[in-house]
Amino acid sequence: MDTIEAVLNGNKRSIAKLITLIEEKSHDAKEILKKIYTHTGKARIIGITGAPGSGKSSLVDKLAKILRSKNKKIGIIAVDPTSPFTGGAILGDRIRMQDLALDEGVFIRSMGTRGALGGLSKACYDAAKVLDASGMDYILIETVGVGQSEIDIAKLADIVLLVMVPGMGDDVQAIKAGIMEIGDIFVINKSDKDGADRLVTEIETALGLCFEKKELKPPVIKTIATEGYGIEELVETIDVLWEYLTKKDYLKIKRTNRIRQEIIGLLTESVLNNIMTTYSEKIEFLVEKAVKRQIDPYSAAEIIIKEKSL
Amino acid sequence: MSDKNSLEKLRKEKTLWEETKLRKILEKHPERFEKFYTNSNIEVEPVYTELNVQDLDYLNDLGFPGEYPYTRGVQPNMYRGKLWTMRQYAGFGTAEESNQRYKFLLSQGQSGLSVAFDLPTQIGYDSDHPLSRGEVGKVGVAIDSLKDMEILFDGIPLDKVSTSMTINAPASVLLSMYIAVAEKQGVAPDKLSGTIQNDILKEYVARGTYIFPPSPSMRLITNIFEFCSKNMPKWNTISISGYHIREAGATAVQEVAFTLADGIAYVEAAINAGLSVDEFAPRLSFFFNAHNDLLEEVAKFRAARRLWAKIMKERFYAKDPRSMMLRFHTQTGGSTLTAQQPDNNIIRVTIQALAAVLGGTQSLHTNSRDEALALPSEDSVRIALRTQQIIAYESGVTETVDPLAGSYYIEYLTNTIEQKAREYIDKIDKLGGAVKAIEKGFMQQEIQDSAYRYQMEIESGRRIVVGVNKFQIEEEPPKGLLKVDPEVGRTQEIKLKELKSSRDNLAVREALKELHSQAKTDANLMPVILKCVKCYCTLGEICDTLRKVFGEYKASITI
Amino acid sequence: MEDTKKIRVLIAKPGLDGHDRGAKVIARALRDSGMEVIYTGLRQTPEQIVETAIQEDVNVIGLSILSGAHNFLLPKVIQLLKEKNAEDILVISGGVIPEEDILGLKEAGIAEVFTPGTPTSEIIDFIKTHVK
Ligand SMILES: Nc1nc2c(ncn2[C@@H]2O[C@H](COP(=O)(O)OP(=O)(O)O)[C@@H](O)[C@H]2O)c(=O)[nH]1
Ligand SMILES: [Mg+2]
């Protein structure tokens, strides 16, 4: 098939078209994804998450530039929220990355969250696979860190950079919200602002508490994305962490979990779809009854399951 | 103003009138809208009385013309002495063509020059830069080096005219070129009068022709303040501009608030650089827009004057009265011009120009009717200039100072605009000042919200634009529009090549090297830029040298 | 099921002019009509615009230009799209563009030129009817 070959060869137009098919949930996309799957697994998937305006896009831009200077090929996926009211979105992350627009070794795609309320859509996972199969060495995925998407990115990425900014109350919030576990590396961006060192200390203390028993505490790196300060060190840290994760089999565990979850997710979706289409009338009937308190929801579900397995 | 009893009586009478006369008419004929608003969304009542301005204290709030807080104007007798400067912004194509246009304008009775530069010049690129393709000479004149500047002012005595230059990010370079041309004419810097726009903050907010990040940009600006306070006492070192903020969609209140907030940032930067306020503040000038809502605009100018005077006195402890006087240039609102039925624009411009004059402007540019379509033709420019002349010589509004003062509505609007602008400034102070607010996208967001609301009001028909969403006609495409010769780019490239082969390239390299090393220190860069200019370094070479040290600004979008 | 097809639009400002009021108002109106808008901001070269359009696989490129450089920049975008076999992307433009230039731009392949005063609803309708 032409598309498959073109994607595997890194043809940008074909990659772009395939991602669109994925976003449109086309059947063709699924068939192509099946065929390219064996070519995935080589790219290092790095998630970048943090509050809006914390400098994620600027960091991605600078990270990509350094990785390019080492001759690595970079795929970038920048996710912005879709308006739940209109279904529209303004995808503006690219504005910070337009220097890379003409770089042969960089592919940038902006995606709306679309159906995935707050989180990452399945399309984002699949788009990462496409970029992986097309021969990218690194895939950088930028997502706004609010609610579900942080949890999702931790599942999708091999390494998650959690971006924080001094003076925004990020520290306290993060510790409260229990998202400290998500970050593999903590990036204190805008460290040109007051309070950067204090934030570093606070995070290190908090990490000390969380990671008491584990051997590797997540590193904390100070950066100024707009000036490129600290980015070299960040890249080095990513590489060192990568070595460590591979050596200790952590990466394998992480990826195994991811794939297991994906299969379970697909199963759930397909079984559920199947039930919903075959038994839609029956379900409605049971819903009515439950509303009138003539049956309880547990028994209603059991009735469907029984019929299904008959 | 009046005593309590008479106010009480007035209040009673007004209520009576509302409940009888007014109500009766409303029951028979509902009004055209449920509520009325000014162009900038201040709610308007059916009638204004003393009740709306009962706290107004004449001596404190208005004062006499030429006296604090300058609400009524900065000169005691305003246009009875000298009319405003009629200054039409012009420039296009090559320096030769623009030079011809300037001579035409001066011969038509214009009293000052206003130079428009093309976009490559405004962003510090030479005409042969790849990003300059298609842009050379389009929205203004192309200046690559002192050579072009010499041609631009050829035969124009720089000690006789006052020149305003719309240049911001590379203002220090163009000012240096102007000084160098004058020197060749035998005119010393202290004899030069004019203005450079030099207002980088509004570029970040609204106009987009920035080069460097905020802090080195602010340094260049304070370098100019300092240099001019010593060498060019008659030069306006900055024109703090609300014009473009308004064009980007701001309301009148936002125009005043954001412009003055920028002004505060410049004053603070200069004070932090070690200047004392009365050293540079008398040379600060402003630049506002004039829109169609005649009375609101008049009030806007008055409110801006009063608010600035208070800020300078109360916040910065200025002593020199000239530091407190808000002197301003006005341009009629480009965004109000329509491509449909372009002759209607003449009427719009007339109303807007009248607002500027009633508001006490120091100089005025009137737009030409065809500016929504292309560069203005010579005919259109003449009508625009005649509009000003008719207001000046025939309308009679010039014969007394601030003729609308004391109108209940005008004074109410003046108070309201001042108060709302002050609220914005407080908010900006809380964000850490104008520079921080801009970095956070605060002003940009506010302006975009206003722009979007305005557009939606037009689309819903709540707001009528004559000829656009009402009273449309079938139209023939207009003819006789001015076209810039597409060869200008080529001409400039050839001139650049010639220049680079004929100048002393060793001196060029040395000068640029010196610029590079001084940029890294905190020295005043004006002397070394002047040196670069004089040995014919190009604008692009100078700006590239600074780019290497300062970096480039990337906008943060806010939609 | 929800409609999974979404119109994707690239809004860019080619050239050097910094007046982005129109571009931003349009971006917002398109978003509010359910489209995905990729906004790249100021000072975009034709090369950047075309490469971005391809990677983002947009249906429409909307170019706002007020500097007068349209006769150079707009045809250049069309030419580059052709070179990349991407002329199926609809290119529309807005800004201060004289009537006498519009014909030439349309001949060059610009689908429509919207001059100042065009309601955003007209632009939305145009996109919806021309994107298939
Ligand atoms: N002072 C400072 N500003 C930064 C830094 N990194 C990013 N910014 C600015 O922060 C704003 C938001 O950056 P962006 O990368 O779009 O953030 P995102 O929303 O997290 O993707 C922009 O105005 C950037 O220029 C930094 O290290 N220091
Ligand atoms: Mg971002």
Side-chain angles (χ1 to χ4, degrees):
Chain A
M1 218 179 175
D2 286 352
T3 315
I4 294 174
E5 212 166 293
V7 167
L8 295 179
N9 285 332
N11 177 291
K12 291 189 175 166
R13 187 135 165 90
S14 306
I15 297 172
K17 289 266 177 217
L18 179 53
I19 295 178
T20 304
L21 287 182
I22 289 169
E23 288 201 291
E24 290 173 353
K25 301 188 174 146
S26 121
H27 182 73
D28 294 350
K30 195 157 140 193
E31 292 307 311
I32 297 171
L33 283 168
K34 285 182 190 171
K35 302 225 167 68
I36 62 171
Y37 186 73
T38 49
H39 299 274
T40 62
K42 297 188 205 91
R44 302 178 176 191
I45 303 181
I46 315 291
I48 296 99
T49 191
S54 54
K56 300 177 296 296
S57 302
S58 313
L59 274 168
V60 168
D61 175 57
K62 289 293 188 326
L63 276 173
K65 280 177 183 152
I66 297 228
L67 291 168
R68 282 301 293 146
S69 71
K70 301 178 195 288
N71 221 3
K72 303 291 182 197
K73 285 203 213 150
I74 316 296
I76 297 172
I77 299 174
V79 184
D80 271 326
T82 296
S83 156
F85 304 109
T86 64
I90 286 179
L91 311 176
D93 294 316
R94 253 198 110 98
I95 194 169
R96 309 221 168 279
M97 311 173 190
Q98 278 305 80
D99 289 353
L100 300 166
L102 297 178
D103 188 327
E104 276 296 312
V106 178
F107 182 98
I108 308 175
R109 180 64 172 238
S110 314
M111 296 177 80
T113 47
R114 297 209 182 171
L117 291 170
L120 283 179
S121 61
K122 179 80 174 68
C124 185
Y125 287 66
D126 288 340
K129 282 185 207 150
V130 175
L131 293 175
D132 191 345
S134 78
M136 299 298 176
D137 298 302
Y138 286 83
I139 297 169
L140 309 178
I141 304 178
E142 173 186 344
T143 63
V144 179
V146 275
Q148 189 59 32
S149 68
E150 274 168 346
I151 318 284
D152 286 358
I153 193 72
K155 287 184 203 150
L156 166 58
D158 298 322
I159 292 178
V160 174
L161 313 186
L162 195 59
V163 184
M164 295 185 169
V165 176
M168 300 214 325
D170 267 3
D171 39 349
V172 195
Q173 266 182 13
I175 297 160
K176 263 197 203 148
I179 60 160
M180 298 299 280
E181 286 84 351
I182 288 163
D184 298 301
I185 298 175
F186 286 76
V187 181
I188 309 305
N189 190 42
K190 305 201 186 182
S191 58
D192 49 326
K193 308 233 163 199
D194 291 342
D197 289 322
R198 202 177 57 230
L199 181 56
V200 172
T201 321
E202 272 165 358
I203 291 185
E204 277 175 344
T205 317
L207 287 173
L209 297 174
C210 296
F211 285 79
E212 234 172 334
K213 294 191 191 73
K214 294 193 190 158
E215 34 190 321
L216 186 85
K217 227 169 54 176
V220 183
I221 312 279
K222 280 199 296 182
T223 58
I224 306 174
T226 37
E227 289 165 28
Y229 166 86
I231 311 293
E232 289 269 7
E233 193 192 343
L234 181 56
V235 171
E236 258 165 53
T237 311
I238 292 173
D239 287 344
V240 169
L241 186 63
W242 185 270
E243 292 308 318
Y244 173 82
L245 290 175
T246 335
K247 216 167 59 210
K248 294 274 176 178
D249 265 1
Y250 286 149
L251 184 71
K252 200 171 152 205
I253 297 169
K254 218 172 181 175
R255 288 187 167 187
T256 307
N257 279 337
R258 183 194 311 156
I259 293 165
R260 177 179 302 114
Q261 288 232 359
E262 185 176 2
I263 294 175
I264 293 172
L266 287 168
L267 271 174
T268 317
E269 191 187 308
S270 126
V271 171
L272 194 65
N273 270 347
N274 185 306
I275 292 180
M276 294 304 280
T277 43
T278 333
Y279 298 96
S280 64
E281 277 173 30
K282 183 93 191 189
I283 293 172
E284 271 315 301
F285 171 74
L286 291 169
V287 168
E288 286 294 312
K289 279 182 79 170
V291 169
K292 293 181 191 141
R293 302 292 187 269
Q294 291 164 351
I295 190 173
D296 65 282
Y298 311 98
S299 309
E302 277 165 18
I303 289 174
I304 303 284
I305 302 286
K306 258 185 212 141
E307 279 200 28
K308 168 112 181 108
S309 45
L310 278 179
Chain B
M1 269 174 127
S2 301
D3 63 83
K4 260 212 180 102
N5 285 341
S6 70
L7 275 176
E8 211 35 62
K9 190 166 167 229
L10 182 57
R11 194 186 320 275
K12 271 199 201 118
E13 289 294 326
K14 188 169 175 225
T15 314
L16 189 66
W17 171 82
E18 278 167 353
E19 283 168 2
T20 54
K21 273 265 164 35
L22 184 64
R23 173 162 312 160
K24 218 186 279 161
I25 208 84
L26 292 184
E27 277 162 5
K28 259 198 249 153
H29 312 283
E31 291 182 324
R32 286 178 292 119
F33 301 105
E34 201 175 309
K35 286 185 169 185
F36 289 76
Y37 297 94
T38 64
N39 207 309
S40 297
N41 281 317
I42 296 172
E43 197 177 336
V44 183
E45 294 176 21
V47 70
Y48 285 83
T49 65
E50 207 174 334
L51 291 169
N52 299 92
V53 289
Q54 49 184 291
D55 294 329
L56 194 76
D57 174 343
Y58 182 85
L59 289 177
N60 269 325
D61 297 328
L62 303 181
F64 283 97
E67 281 181 4
Y68 186 85
Y70 306 102
T71 314
R72 306 203 59 182
V74 293
Q75 292 114 3
N77 60 346
M78 289 300 291
Y79 309 131
R80 288 167 67 101
K82 186 169 149 280
L83 291 167
W84 63 90
T85 305
M86 299 179 193
R87 198 194 289 279
Q88 299 294 92
Y89 182 63
F92 58 94
T94 58
E96 286 85 351
E97 287 168 284
S98 292
N99 178 260
Q100 289 306 310
R101 177 62 73 92
Y102 297 155
K103 287 178 175 160
F104 163 79
L105 285 167
L106 291 172
S107 75
Q108 292 295 306
Q110 173 165 309
S111 34
L113 292 179
S114 176
V115 184
F117 296 98
D118 71 357
L119 287 164
T121 307
Q122 293 184 45
I123 306 176
Y125 294 129
D126 285 339
S127 299
D128 57 0
H129 190 281
L131 275 171
S132 303
R133 289 176 302 175
E135 307 274 14
V136 177
K138 280 282 153 56
V139 301
V141 57
I143 301 291
D144 289 322
S145 74
L146 180 57
K147 272 258 149 55
D148 294 322
M149 204 72 159
E150 288 162 2
I151 298 165
L152 188 66
F153 293 107
D154 181 53
I156 299 171
L158 297 188
D159 51 347
K160 301 267 157 46
V161 296
S162 90
T163 303
S164 160
M165 292 190 274
T166 300
I167 195 74
N168 294 280
S172 51
V173 184
L174 275 300
L175 177 61
S176 297
M177 289 183 185
Y178 193 78
I179 295 168
V181 172
E183 208 165 87
K184 294 202 168 179
Q185 288 188 2
V187 179
D190 62 342
K191 298 277 170 335
L192 295 174
S193 73
T195 308
I196 37 170
Q197 199 161 72
N198 200 23
D199 171 13
I200 199 66
L201 293 177
K202 65 92 176 49
E203 298 293 334
Y204 301 131
V205 175
R207 191 164 170 271
T209 56
Y210 40 72
I211 306 177
F212 315 114
S215 71
S217 296
M218 294 299 275
R219 170 204 175 171
L220 285 171
I221 289 167
T222 47
N223 284 175
I224 292 173
F225 287 1
E226 192 189 0
F227 178 88
C228 291
S229 75
K230 297 204 174 91
N231 305 294
M232 304 175 78
K234 288 171 30 180
W235 195 266
N236 295 314
T237 52
I238 193 168
S239 171
I240 306 164
S241 305
Y243 179 81
H244 316 89
I245 290 174
R246 189 71 181 274
E247 286 294 289
T251 62
V253 168
Q254 288 167 341
E255 181 187 359
V256 172
F258 298 163
T259 309
L260 299 198
D262 288 351
I264 290 169
Y266 292 124
V267 173
E268 282 173 350
I271 290 174
N272 289 340
L275 301 177
S276 78
V277 66
D278 288 322
E279 236 179 293
F280 64 90
R283 298 318 309 171
L284 303 179
S285 66
F286 288 81
F287 174 20
F288 289 114
N289 206 311
H291 266 235
N292 288 331
D293 192 328
L294 178 70
L295 300 175
E296 177 177 55
E297 292 298 289
V298 174
K300 174 188 81 180
F301 297 122
R302 301 172 85 245
R305 234 177 351 246
R306 183 159 74 205
L307 185 50
W308 185 247
K310 289 185 193 166
I311 289 169
M312 290 309 286
K313 185 170 178 174
E314 292 163 10
R315 180 168 179 157
F316 295 113
Y317 307 111
K319 298 259 159 15
D320 187 338
R322 293 175 309 150
S323 298
M324 304 172 210
M325 291 181 196
L326 180 145
R327 297 169 299 121
F328 65 101
H329 172 69
T330 308
Q331 180 171 339
T332 58
S335 65
T336 67
L337 303 184
T338 63
Q340 298 82 353
Q341 306 175 40
D343 285 347
N344 294 348
N345 292 327
I346 299 174
I347 293 89
R348 292 191 178 97
V349 168
T350 307
I351 295 171
Q352 295 162 4
L354 189 59
V357 172
L358 290 170
T361 195
Q362 275 59 59
S363 64
L364 179 60
H365 167 107
T366 33
N367 286 328
S368 301
R369 60 183 160 174
D370 44 9
E371 270 171 82
L373 301 163
L375 279 174
S377 65
E378 214 157 82
D379 270 354
S380 306
V381 173
R382 184 182 296 112
I383 296 175
L385 183 57
R386 294 293 180 255
T387 306
Q388 296 199 34
Q389 289 161 338
I390 290 168
I391 293 173
Y393 297 104
E394 299 184 19
S395 78
V397 298
T398 49
E399 321 299 64
T400 188
V401 178
D402 188 27
L404 295 185
S407 144
Y408 302 125
Y409 183 45
I410 284 285
E411 296 301 352
Y412 169 79
L413 280 179
T414 306
N415 288 347
T416 306
I417 292 173
E418 182 191 354
Q419 180 208 328
K420 286 179 182 249
R422 206 181 256 285
E423 285 163 14
Y424 259 125
I425 291 173
D426 288 344
K427 208 181 266 176
I428 291 166
D429 283 338
K430 287 214 181 76
L431 290 171
V435 178
K436 291 268 161 58
I438 290 166
E439 284 177 340
K440 292 197 170 89
F442 171 73
M443 298 188 200
Q444 297 91 314
Q445 187 70 55
E446 292 289 309
I447 294 169
Q448 275 158 44
D449 288 346
S450 300
Y452 195 62
R453 188 174 345 111
Y454 188 90
Q455 180 66 25
M456 292 306 127
E457 282 167 9
I458 290 175
E459 294 190 16
S460 71
R462 173 63 176 86
R463 194 185 282 276
I464 301 297
V465 182
V466 173
V468 173
N469 62 353
K470 208 169 183 172
F471 314 115
Q472 299 100 319
I473 51 168
E474 284 295 322
E475 289 181 87
E476 283 286 299
K479 295 197 182 61
L481 299 174
L482 183 77
K483 279 220 127 123
V484 174
D485 180 2
E487 291 297 297
V488 176
R490 187 96 49 83
T491 315
Q492 285 301 110
E493 280 179 40
I494 294 168
K495 281 205 272 182
L496 265 171
K497 252 205 203 105
E498 278 172 14
L499 175 80
K500 285 183 183 171
S501 63
S502 63
R503 66 183 181 181
D504 179 352
N505 279 308
L506 197 66
V508 166
R509 261 198 302 280
E510 283 306 311
L512 290 175
K513 219 175 17 330
E514 196 181 330
L515 175 63
H516 188 265
S517 64
Q518 289 208 22
K520 287 181 176 165
T521 69
D522 54 12
N524 190 321
L525 293 178
M526 276 303 288
V528 63
I529 291 174
L530 193 55
K531 182 171 171 186
C532 291
V533 160
K534 282 184 183 166
C535 60
Y536 295 94
C537 297
T538 67
L539 173 70
E541 288 167 339
I542 295 171
C543 291
D544 277 346
T545 305
L546 294 175
R547 278 186 184 96
K548 275 187 210 125
V549 182
F550 295 156
E552 288 184 75
Y553 179 74
K554 284 232 178 70
S556 63
I557 64 149
T558 29
I559 292 185
Chain C
M1 271 211 98
E2 56 166 333
D3 183 13
T4 50
K5 289 213 187 225
K6 244 181 221 201
I7 296 176
R8 285 169 65 86
V9 187
L10 170 64
I11 298 288
K13 281 195 61 67
L16 298 177
D17 93 79
H19 299 284
D20 55 3
R21 171 182 181 166
K24 284 176 168 168
V25 167
I26 297 293
R28 203 152 155 171
L30 297 184
R31 188 234 358 232
D32 289 349
S33 76
M35 301 182 198
E36 279 185 349
V37 181
I38 292 101
Y39 189 83
T40 53
L42 306 180
R43 299 190 201 170
Q44 300 290 298
T45 64
E47 289 80 3
Q48 279 175 314
I49 289 166
V50 168
E51 192 54 43
T52 301
I54 285 174
Q55 293 180 17
E56 297 288 356
D57 194 30
V58 294
N59 310 94
V60 185
I61 303 177
L63 300 171
S64 158
I65 183 162
L66 289 96
S67 69
H70 48 267
N71 282 338
F72 171 78
L73 293 167
L74 297 182
K76 181 86 190 168
V77 168
I78 299 285
Q79 177 208 328
L80 291 168
L81 282 172
K82 283 193 182 134
E83 283 170 20
K84 303 249 172 186
N85 291 323
E87 61 262 57
D88 56 311
I89 300 175
L90 189 75
V91 184
I92 57 178
S93 155
V96 181
I97 297 178
E99 192 75 29
E100 55 200 63
D101 290 350
I102 292 179
L103 202 65
L105 291 173
K106 284 191 172 170
E107 268 165 19
I110 303 290
E112 191 54 87
V113 175
F114 298 100
T115 47
T118 312
T120 54
S121 54
E122 197 176 297
I123 300 170
I124 292 167
D125 287 345
F126 184 89
I127 291 176
K128 286 190 170 161
T129 47
H130 287 80
V131 169
K132 240 323 45 329

